[in-house]
Amino acid sequence: MNLKNLFQDFNPGNFVIYLSLLLFTILFALKGDGYITCSWWLVFLPLWIWKCLVFSGATIAGLVWWRHPEYRIEGEGYVDMKAIIISVALHSLVFIFEVLACDNLESHHNVWLVVFMPLFMTAPISIAACVWGFKHDRGLEFETICSINILQFVFISLKLDMFITWSWAIVFIPMWILMGLLCMVDVIWSILIFRATETMPEQRRAHMMAAFARATLVVPLLTFEILFVNWLEGVNDYPLPAIFSPLYLSLVVLLPTSFGQRGNNQWWFGIRKDFCSFLLEVCPCLQEYGNITYTLHPVDIPPETEQIPVRTLPTPAPTPIIINTSSGKHVMPATIDMPD
């Protein structure tokens, strides 16, 4: 495992989102079952921290953009700044929804249809952002989730206000359809890749591993949805932390994937460079660890070779040389056998 390559593909934005959702769902389950008696505003604290990082990062990026016009032509500066503006607009609407939802959980001031109104407004912005991101080769996972779940938000708000009397299993039909489509597309695509003759074995193996990783993400998420719907219907009386445990597993699986996701916007907080390079400049001591490569598989140690004694042959004595000083030539000695 090469730490340098690991942090070069690190996406800090996705890591913050996954970690915030994980902490929020843990606190939400504990508060829902009465294990903790703190205020709902404290339960939403991980989400507040997430939004504060977004707003502060965009503000600093805007100040750097305004004070240093020469930086705008570096790389894709204009595209990155437009992506930040789109992200701030969507996060602002989600932040308003979170404030209204937290206030409604505390005192029930508004109907849930009004609380969900900011999420309804994210749908057209998210669709436009997805089209823009496709044209500029930008990954917009958060915007995609907001756009495809608009019908689910409408059903949940109507059910909470008792405008519809459907069961919760029917209310979550958009989610069932979405999860079914994801599973079906993943299975069909894996079969096509596996049966394709022009696909190299390495590519086929890599795709199968990616399909397995997605399955480990989708199956716990689907299990959580089934348990949660049954809990809302009163079919089971499991504690909420146990019901949310498959969701925790999915979020824990998502956390390491942020180290292999590209597409990080380099203009957040005005750093204008890769997060790994910025981190190494701020903390030079990490350069020592960034150059380390770990090998997880055992290294085969060759067996010790036996010391075989080698017999040395005696070297012949050197042949004497007679030097003829008169002619300056070297003459080899000659022996004459005398007859008996």
Side-chain angles (χ1 to χ4, degrees):
M1 181 175 59
N2 196 327
L3 295 181
K4 182 179 180 181
N5 296 334
L6 184 67
F7 281 97
Q8 279 181 346
D9 298 337
F10 177 57
N11 194 323
N14 289 349
F15 183 82
V16 171
I17 292 175
Y18 301 150
L19 183 60
S20 300
L21 290 176
L22 177 61
L23 297 177
F24 167 71
T25 52
I26 292 174
L27 294 176
F28 184 87
L30 295 176
K31 173 67 176 178
D33 266 356
Y35 291 105
I36 56 177
T37 58
C38 62
S39 172
W40 282 103
W41 297 99
L42 186 59
V43 172
F44 279 73
L45 181 60
L47 301 183
W48 309 140
I49 296 175
W50 166 18
K51 301 306 182 300
C52 288
L53 289 175
V54 171
F55 296 147
S56 59
T59 302
I60 297 175
L63 291 176
V64 174
W65 177 274
W66 174 61
R67 293 179 61 88
H68 300 278
E70 66 276 8
Y71 294 161
R72 304 175 185 178
I73 60 176
E74 295 180 358
E76 298 181 349
Y78 287 94
V79 177
D80 290 340
M81 185 54 62
K82 290 178 181 178
I84 290 178
I85 294 174
I86 294 173
S87 179
V88 169
L90 289 175
H91 280 82
S92 300
L93 293 174
V94 175
F95 176 71
I96 296 174
F97 160 73
E98 292 169 356
V99 172
L100 293 176
C102 188
D103 179 68
N104 217 32
L105 290 172
E106 286 284 343
S107 55
H108 302 283
H109 286 163
N110 302 309
V111 295
W112 286 102
L113 197 60
V114 175
V115 174
F116 277 79
M117 197 63 67
L119 291 184
F120 302 155
M121 298 173 61
T122 60
I125 301 177
S126 299
I127 294 174
C130 291
V131 174
W132 178 85
F134 181 77
K135 290 175 58 178
H136 293 85
D137 193 19
R138 291 300 176 110
L140 302 173
E141 296 85 359
F142 181 72
E143 291 77 2
T144 304
I145 294 175
C146 292
S147 60
I148 64 180
N149 286 318
I150 179 63
L151 188 59
Q152 184 65 76
F153 298 150
V154 173
F155 284 180
I156 293 176
S157 61
L158 293 176
K159 175 65 175 178
L160 291 174
D161 285 335
M162 303 302 294
F163 287 108
I164 56 178
T165 57
W166 304 340
S167 65
W168 283 102
I170 299 177
V171 171
F172 279 90
I173 281 181
M175 187 66 67
W176 307 134
I177 295 176
L178 178 61
M179 299 298 294
L181 288 176
L182 290 177
C183 295
M184 184 175 61
V185 170
D186 196 12
V187 170
I188 294 176
W189 184 251
S190 300
I191 293 174
L192 292 177
I193 292 295
F194 186 76
R195 295 181 62 87
T197 57
E198 63 274 7
T199 305
M200 299 180 62
E202 292 80 6
Q203 296 177 348
R204 187 182 295 110
R205 191 180 304 109
H207 181 79
M208 295 302 296
M209 292 299 297
F212 177 76
R214 287 192 295 270
T216 58
L217 174 65
V218 172
V219 172
L221 186 59
L222 186 60
T223 304
F224 157 72
E225 294 172 1
I226 295 173
L227 292 175
F228 189 61
V229 168
N230 290 334
W231 181 82
L232 292 173
E233 293 288 346
V235 177
N236 61 53
D237 55 351
Y238 302 142
L240 277 179
I243 294 175
F244 275 73
S245 57
L247 179 60
Y248 302 154
L249 178 60
S250 297
L251 293 174
V252 170
V253 170
L254 282 173
L255 280 174
T257 61
S258 59
F259 289 89
Q261 295 179 352
R262 294 181 179 272
N264 180 34
N265 194 330
Q266 299 183 358
W267 264 90
W268 284 107
F269 291 94
I271 60 178
R272 298 179 297 104
K273 60 183 64 177
D274 186 72
F275 180 77
C276 177
S277 303
F278 174 76
L279 188 63
L280 292 178
E281 287 186 3
V282 174
C283 303
C285 59
L286 295 178
Q287 296 181 4
E288 178 181 356
Y289 301 97
N291 295 325
I292 298 176
T293 302
Y294 295 95
T295 303
L296 300 180
H297 59 82
V299 180
D300 296 333
I301 302 176
E304 297 182 357
T305 57
E306 297 181 358
Q307 298 293 334
I308 302 176
V310 180
R311 187 177 60 181
T312 57
L313 297 176
T315 56
T319 307
I321 300 176
I322 300 177
I323 301 176
N324 190 348
T325 56
S326 61
S327 60
K329 297 180 179 180
H330 298 270
V331 180
M332 299 297 296
T335 57
I336 299 176
D337 294 336
M338 297 299 294
D340 294 336

